[in-house]
């Protein structure tokens, strides 16, 4: 599985093209950690100014957490958790990036 | 516009004679007015309250935030030229380009050495059509393409005709698919290229690539496909589909505009004459500095597409069904242009009978949809693709293309249905033709009196 090693820190040392494997947390992934990550996503998503990106990120995060619920205590769960944290970092950077004034028609009209 | 309105009170206070209101202690009304104005957008004499909901994914797609995140470092700090061999900036830029190349290649089942970055699918189509035919100009004088191809392919073929090549423009069936028997008959011993696009940008039909690839392989003719709309949406495997050349575009898969890639098969090797001469970049196929940020974005977009293809496909199919069902429940006499079985679900081209197309579009200002294709919208003619399908003039004029993508929500689809149905009903109420058709009169039998 290739993970996009993005980020403003220099990733050259870890190499590119997926050779930088995620640091595996201990296999005991607690429910509290997962919930904290999910709530962080929901908090970050509120900062997106674009309606479509905001709705997509919220929906995709919820679906991804729901899909991976079945993984429980396997190492795959730790990998998914690490990927989730990395995606949260991406979302945090992007949410703070650009906030134009004009809102989508979907957000303005109250019907 | 909004900015100048906000600055206006400042100017008034500084230089001009002070209006009496400015001396009062009441809150300045100018600030309140400008906030209202900032929300409303006035463009071309039309005032809309906010940005329209975007349903034109075939024209272009928004950039995915994950893609933008991958691109930004290469604009901010890692801005080196990938062809600089002597310093870190060049090395890291080159590494990033090769990394992106590998990601693009893995999405289509190719080797990274077979991918060449260009400025977009139009440039790729030009290189493919003109480059291949010019390289083999001694022995190959014939090109086969279809009538529903993208304008750049058709224009390149017309240019080749002026140079003395023969071109066969294959007709398509009513559902938009090419007839395989006709294709096989059209291939001559001196055919140098068969070009059939994978997914049509106007009607969304998926051509039978595997069968066409098999026919071309048997006859020994290179098969070129314009996969700009297909990349990342349907699974593409260049070996299973026997593809020799393929045009890919970045801004159709939630990547940046201005980048594309040409797939050029190595075994058996397909040679092209380069259309851009220069410093020998991209193995001499396409000279010019490779734009690292764009290419990195393209690679990231391809990677995300590979991961999200199933999820997106399921969602987009469900949304298309929702759109169709919602429309059909409230309005009748809707015709879908193109095959429903062989279709990419994110592209829905509908014709509403008894409704005039331009007036329908004028009423749909809060939905960004397209009628026909952006490439042909300059002229008043109905789209040549619909004409090739055999759609009649009046139905071709009322066609609307709804594009559904990764970021489309259910609420947007519902709002699009609501707005379209409202506009269609309004126009049909005004239409005498609709009254006559409902009364049972056959419109074709009417003899219009001439004045």
């Amino acid at each position: 599985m290739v993970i996009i090693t993005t980020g403003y820190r220099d990733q050259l040392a870890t190499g590119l093209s997926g050779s930088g494997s995620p640091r595996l947390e201990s296999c005991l992934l607690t429910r509290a950690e997962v919930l904290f990550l999910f709530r962080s996503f929901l908090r970050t998503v509120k900062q997106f100014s674009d309606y479509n990106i905001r709705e997509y990120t919220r929906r995709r995060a919820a679906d991804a957490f729901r899909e991976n619920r079945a993984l429980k205590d396997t190492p795959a769960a730790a990998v998914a958790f690490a990927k989730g944290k990395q995606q949260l970092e991406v979302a945090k950077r992007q949410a703070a990036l650009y906030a134009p004034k004009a809102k989508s028609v979907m957000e303005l009209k109250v019907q | 516009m909004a900015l100048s309105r906000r600055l206006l009170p400042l100017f008034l206070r500084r230089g001009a004679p002070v209006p009496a209101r400015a001396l009062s202690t009441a809150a300045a009304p100018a600030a309140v007015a400008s906030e209202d104005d900032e929300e409303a957008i006035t463009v071309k004499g039309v005032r809309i309250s906010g940005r329209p909901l975007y349903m034109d994914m075939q024209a272009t797609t928004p950039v995915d935030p994950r893609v933008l995140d991958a691109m930004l470092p290469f604009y901010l700090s890692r801005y080196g030229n990938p062809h600089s061999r002597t310093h870190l900036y060049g090395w890291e830029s080159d590494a990033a380009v090769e990394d992106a190349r590998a990601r693009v290649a893995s999405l289509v089942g190719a080797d990274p050495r077979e991918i060449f970055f260009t400025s977009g699918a139009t440039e790729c189509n030009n290189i493919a059509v003109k480059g291949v035919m010019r390289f083999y100009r001694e022995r190959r004088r014939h090109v086969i393409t279809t009538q529903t191809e993208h304008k750049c392919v058709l224009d390149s073929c017309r240019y080749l005709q002026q140079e003395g090549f023969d071109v066969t423009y294959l007709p398509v069936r009513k559902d938009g698919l090419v007839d395989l028997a006709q294709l096989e008959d059209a291939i001559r011993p001196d055919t140098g290229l068969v070009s059939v696009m994978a997914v049509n940008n106007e009607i969304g039909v998926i051509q039978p690539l595997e069968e066409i690839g098999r026919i071309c392989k048997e006859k020994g003719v290179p098969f070129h496909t314009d996969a700009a709309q297909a990349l990342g949406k349907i699974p593409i495997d260049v070996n299973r589909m026997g593809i020799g050349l393929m045009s890919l575009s970045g801004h159709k898969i939630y990547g940046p505009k201005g980048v594309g890639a040409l797939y050029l098969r190595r075994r058996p090797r397909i040679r092209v004459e380069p259309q851009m001469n220069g410093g020998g970049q991209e193995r001499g196929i396409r000279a010019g500095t490779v734009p690292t940020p764009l290419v990195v974005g393209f690679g990231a977009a391809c990677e995300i597409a590979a991961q999200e293809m199933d999820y997106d496909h399921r969602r987009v199919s469900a949304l298309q069904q929702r759109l169709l069902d919602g429309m059909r429940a409230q309005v009748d006499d809707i015709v879908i242009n193109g095959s429903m079985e062989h279709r990419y679900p994110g592209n829905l081209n509908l014709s509403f009978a008894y409704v005039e197309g331009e007036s329908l579009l004028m009423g749909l200002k809060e939905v960004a949809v397209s009628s026909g294709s952006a490439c042909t919208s300059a002229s008043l003619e109905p789209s040549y693709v619909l004409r090739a399908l055999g759609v009649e003039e009046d139905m071709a004029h009322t066609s609307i293309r709804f594009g559904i993508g990764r970021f489309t929500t259910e609420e947007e689809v519902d709002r699009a249905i609501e707005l379209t149905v409202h506009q269609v009903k309004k126009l049909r109420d005004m239409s005498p033709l609709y009254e006559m058709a409902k009364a049972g009169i056959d419109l074709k039998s009417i003899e219009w009196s001439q004045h």
Side-chain angles (χ1 to χ4, degrees):
Chain A
M1 181 176 76
V2 179
I3 296 175
I4 305 176
T5 51
T6 57
Y8 300 131
R9 284 171 316 181
D10 202 337
Q11 299 277 333
L12 262 187
T14 53
L16 301 145
S17 296
S19 58
S21 53
R23 228 173 347 118
L24 288 178
E25 332 289 333
S26 76
C27 278
L28 293 168
L29 195 63
T30 63
R31 188 166 178 275
E33 281 180 319
V34 175
L35 276 178
F36 181 71
L37 183 66
F38 186 54
R39 283 198 208 107
S40 309
F41 258 107
L42 294 182
R43 265 195 304 272
T44 311
V45 152
K46 279 192 215 150
Q47 294 169 31
F48 274 112
S49 58
D50 185 81
Y51 163 80
N52 291 96
I53 309 273
R54 191 170 57 233
E55 292 298 309
Y56 171 76
T57 313
R58 188 182 293 149
R59 192 185 342 118
R60 188 71 188 94
D63 284 344
F65 275 91
R66 200 175 301 128
E67 259 176 62
N68 291 331
R69 211 192 318 178
L71 293 177
K72 294 282 166 91
D73 266 340
T74 58
V79 170
F81 185 76
K83 185 169 180 219
K85 281 215 299 204
Q86 190 209 46
Q87 297 291 306
L88 178 65
E89 292 304 310
V90 173
K92 277 186 184 161
R93 279 196 295 266
Q94 291 303 309
L97 197 55
Y98 176 63
K101 290 273 186 226
K103 296 285 171 197
S104 162
V105 160
M106 300 299 296
E107 299 176 292
L108 292 177
K109 262 195 189 161
V110 179
Q111 286 190 348
Chain B
M1 273 287 264
L3 197 58
S4 60
R5 283 213 192 98
R6 255 197 295 160
L7 287 178
L8 202 55
L10 275 172
F11 293 145
L12 281 175
R13 274 181 222 131
R14 291 239 175 99
V18 176
R21 219 191 294 156
L23 296 171
S24 76
T25 48
V32 175
S34 62
E35 249 172 61
D36 276 344
D37 286 350
E38 266 169 35
E39 285 180 5
I41 304 169
T42 308
V43 162
K44 297 196 184 205
V46 178
R47 190 190 175 84
I48 40 177
S49 47
R51 295 188 68 77
L53 59 100
Y54 191 73
M55 300 214 49
D56 198 13
M57 295 291 172
Q58 281 69 42
T60 186
T61 53
V63 174
D64 194 302
R66 294 166 283 190
V67 166
L68 189 60
D69 193 71
M71 287 167 66
L72 279 174
F74 296 92
Y75 279 124
L76 298 176
S77 57
R78 304 193 211 165
Y79 43 77
N81 184 322
H83 314 292
S84 303
R85 291 172 186 270
T86 54
H87 47 71
L88 175 73
Y89 291 90
W91 303 329
E92 66 184 359
S93 200
D94 189 46
V97 166
E98 293 311 311
D99 185 48
R101 202 188 299 273
R103 289 173 198 203
V104 176
S106 79
L107 182 57
V108 297
D111 188 276
R113 291 171 294 181
E114 298 173 315
I115 302 284
F116 299 89
F117 289 114
T118 61
S119 69
T122 299
E123 184 180 349
C124 294
N125 284 331
N126 272 267
I127 299 175
V129 173
K130 295 195 287 209
V132 164
M133 293 313 293
R134 282 183 185 153
F135 190 86
Y136 296 108
R137 68 163 72 86
E138 307 299 323
R139 291 165 292 149
R140 310 283 186 159
R141 304 295 301 176
H142 182 226
V143 180
I144 299 177
T145 184
T146 66
Q147 290 176 359
T148 54
E149 287 299 303
H150 198 261
K151 255 291 195 262
C152 48
V153 173
L154 294 178
D155 225 52
S156 304
C157 289
R158 189 152 41 110
Y159 190 82
L160 285 179
Q161 272 182 300
Q162 286 173 357
E163 286 193 347
F165 291 87
D166 296 325
V167 181
T168 303
Y169 300 94
L170 287 176
V172 293
R173 299 200 301 247
K174 270 212 155 328
D175 58 0
L177 295 170
V178 70
D179 190 331
L180 294 167
Q182 269 189 340
L183 169 65
E184 203 160 354
D185 287 337
I187 296 180
R188 306 188 326 210
D190 66 340
T191 300
L193 189 70
V194 167
S195 179
V196 180
M197 73 194 315
V199 172
N200 191 291
N201 55 319
E202 281 196 47
I203 49 182
V205 297
I206 306 177
Q207 299 288 352
L209 294 174
E210 285 172 14
E211 284 81 11
I212 300 175
R214 194 184 34 84
I215 295 173
C216 291
K217 197 168 178 183
E218 276 169 17
K219 307 264 183 162
V221 180
F223 173 35
H224 166 248
T225 179
D226 179 358
Q229 297 285 343
L231 183 67
K233 308 212 168 93
I234 57 167
I236 300 178
D237 185 341
V238 290
N239 292 316
R240 191 166 43 91
M241 296 171 172
I243 297 173
L245 301 102
M246 186 161 60
S247 308
L248 308 170
S249 171
H251 70 110
K252 305 282 166 47
I253 52 163
Y254 313 97
K257 293 179 185 51
V259 68
L262 176 68
Y263 162 77
L264 211 51
R265 181 172 279 278
R266 288 183 91 237
R267 289 205 188 106
R269 188 180 290 265
I270 300 196
R271 312 279 303 270
V272 291
E273 201 180 83
Q275 306 293 302
M276 295 268 295
N277 303 110
Q281 289 88 358
E282 295 292 285
R283 296 169 193 256
I285 303 283
R286 199 270 183 188
T289 302
V290 173
T292 314
L294 298 178
V295 155
V296 164
F298 189 20
C302 286
E303 166 128 17
I304 295 171
Q307 291 167 355
E308 304 275 334
M309 208 189 297
D310 290 331
Y311 178 86
D312 284 343
H313 194 271
R314 268 181 282 132
R315 245 194 115 249
V316 167
S317 308
L319 286 176
Q320 186 192 50
Q321 201 54 48
R322 190 186 180 113
L323 182 63
L324 254 183
D325 293 342
M327 295 265 199
R328 280 190 169 144
Q330 304 180 50
V331 157
D332 53 356
D333 288 322
I334 298 179
V335 174
I336 303 171
N337 298 313
S339 156
M340 264 317 269
E341 297 80 40
H342 302 275
R343 166 182 291 272
Y344 167 62
N347 184 332
L348 193 59
N349 193 312
L350 302 175
S351 283
F352 299 91
Y354 317 114
V355 166
E356 213 282 307
E358 295 302 316
S359 36
L360 179 55
L361 275 186
M362 279 206 305
L364 285 180
K365 276 296 161 263
E366 288 187 344
V367 187
V369 285
S370 153
S371 93
S373 147
C375 313
T376 54
S377 59
S379 65
L380 286 173
E381 277 183 24
S383 137
Y384 63 92
V385 172
L386 294 178
R387 202 157 4 109
L389 289 183
V391 175
E392 290 168 19
E393 284 268 330
D394 53 344
M395 292 298 271
H397 270 295
T398 76
S399 73
I400 293 203
R401 177 185 71 190
F402 292 93
I404 304 171
R406 185 184 290 166
F407 298 107
T408 314
T409 62
E410 283 88 353
E411 292 82 15
E412 283 187 320
V413 169
D414 292 339
R415 177 76 66 85
I417 296 171
E418 186 191 312
L419 291 168
T420 312
V421 162
H422 171 78
Q423 188 67 8
V424 167
K425 281 188 175 159
K426 197 167 84 168
L427 288 171
R428 281 186 177 169
D429 278 343
M430 291 194 287
S431 162
L433 285 179
Y434 187 60
E435 280 177 36
M436 289 199 279
K438 281 293 157 195
I441 305 173
D442 177 22
L443 293 180
K444 303 254 186 310
S445 65
I446 299 174
E447 286 187 23
W448 301 102
S449 61
Q450 299 198 317
H451 296 275

